[in-house]
Amino acid sequence: MVDIKSLSLEELTEYIKSINESAFRARQLYEWMHVHLSRDFDSMTNIPGALKDRLKSECSLTTLAIETVQTSKIDGTKKYLFTLPDGNHVESVFMKYRHGNSVCISSQVGCRMGCRFCASTIDGLVRSLTAAEMLDQIYAITLDTGLRVSNVVVMGIGEPLDNYDNLVRFIRMLSNDKGLNISQRNITVSTCGIVPNILRLAEEDLKITLALSLHAATDVKRKELMPVADAYSIKELMDCCRAYFDKTGRRISFEYALVDGSNDSDEDADLLSSLAKSVGAHINLIPVNPVKERSYKRSSAGRIAAFKNKLEKNGINVTIRRELGSDIDGACGQLRRKHKSEGAN
Ligand code: SAH
């Protein structure tokens, strides 16, 4: 079956021509899928019945079904658990900010990166998502809320740079002016730091923001938290960040989850400041979310404030990630796990 919703407009045009239809049908189909967010061929009213029948027999039109949605009474944040066409589950989050509506999407079912504080990786990787499955998280949320999404962060379940080709395809389709036309400047990709793929991404001529999950300022401490640190040293990562900036002109941000007694000392803050300065990075501090299966504890509010202060005194641009949806299963990958432990897949 042709995964028609993952095809770029050029590829769709090729396909449509290959079945002896004219190119304008491809433009119509693309608009139905990526602007009107149609969920079946039957609703595409200007497509002739014979073509619809052919498409139904040759193509799959990927849609995600909402399994559950939880809405925060505090701030309106919505957490979605989606069922994929093969029965797997991923989660996405809809958040309202002053500057617009933001959606956090998953890029894989599970993850094989093994970060010790993360719930998504506990049972490893099941599979990567297709471009259509990434897009449809945003489409389904747009339809459900009736609100335009202006910002997308790829920070849900999975390591986006471990699903490189589909990720780049997804970004190009999402920002295409024949689709939802979300500005690349409003798209953020978060990675645990797969150096060769960061360098590859730098060559794609994209205007996205790259967030690097650093979480430690020395190799020894990073290795305790993130197995990927065995493959790439902090020095290699910083060289790679500089190369990314030089090539794209886009500033990188560092994600830094504060784990009690592990990476939250004043000395850590000073070392982190030097790293951030060396690549001109902005730092986003995340109070670590407790994960049931893990023993890590979040730093105290006082320690978080002191850590932030220290960075600021060192002249670093720093924010603390706002916690939204704290009354619903907030933290990364925990909704899917909860669902799984209740007997589903
Ligand atoms: N794999 C990518 C993107 C998904 S994780 C990455 O590593 O960046 C998105 C962010 O949430 C990462 O910075 C990740 O380290 C962080 N994260 C994961 N589990 C967390 C937890 N329990 N508490 C706080 N942040 C967490």
Side-chain angles (χ1 to χ4, degrees), residues 3-7 34 39 60-65 82-92 103-109 126-141 163 166-167 169-170 173:
D3 174 12
I4 192 169
K5 207 158 149 180
S6 289
L7 299 182
H34 301 288
R39 292 173 65 85
S60 55
L61 182 61
T62 302
T63 53
L64 274 51
F82 285 114
T83 307
L84 302 171
D86 68 355
N88 277 302
H89 293 97
V90 290
E91 52 190 88
S92 325
V103 168
C104 172
I105 67 147
S106 295
S107 56
Q108 296 181 312
V109 180
V126 177
R127 68 172 177 87
S128 284
L129 298 191
T130 63
E133 288 169 331
M134 287 188 263
L135 288 168
D136 207 58
Q137 294 171 58
I138 298 155
Y139 297 179
I141 289 176
N163 183 15
N166 291 336
L167 175 81
R169 174 179 286 274
F170 157 78
M173 292 175 75

Side-chain angles (χ1 to χ4, degrees), residues 111 113 115 117-119 154-160 190-192 211-213 215 226 255 257 286-291 321 331-332 334:
C111 183
M113 295 297 131
C115 298
F117 45 81
C118 181
V154 189
M155 282 195 188
I157 296 170
E159 168 49 46
S190 180
T191 176
C192 63
L212 172 66
S213 298
H215 302 321
M226 306 174 73
E255 307 282 308
I286 317 170
V288 82
N289 285 308
V291 174
R321 187 191 285 176
C332 329
Q334 299 195 22

Side-chain angles (χ1 to χ4, degrees), residues 259-273:
V259 184
D260 184 45
S262 163
N263 62 0
D264 61 350
S265 69
D266 280 354
E267 195 198 345
D268 290 313
D270 283 337
L271 289 169
L272 178 61
S273 302

Side-chain angles (χ1 to χ4, degrees), residues 13 25 38 51 62 81 83 89 93 113 137 176 182 185 187 204 239 242 253 260 263 275 300 304 341:
T13 307
R25 292 290 178 210
S38 301
L51 176 54
T62 302
L81 183 69
T83 307
H89 293 97
V93 189
M113 295 297 131
Q137 294 171 58
N176 191 305
I182 294 182
R185 290 171 199 282
I187 301 174
E204 302 280 357
D239 288 347
R242 271 187 295 275
S253 64
D260 184 45
N263 62 0
L275 295 178
S300 68
I304 294 173
S341 66

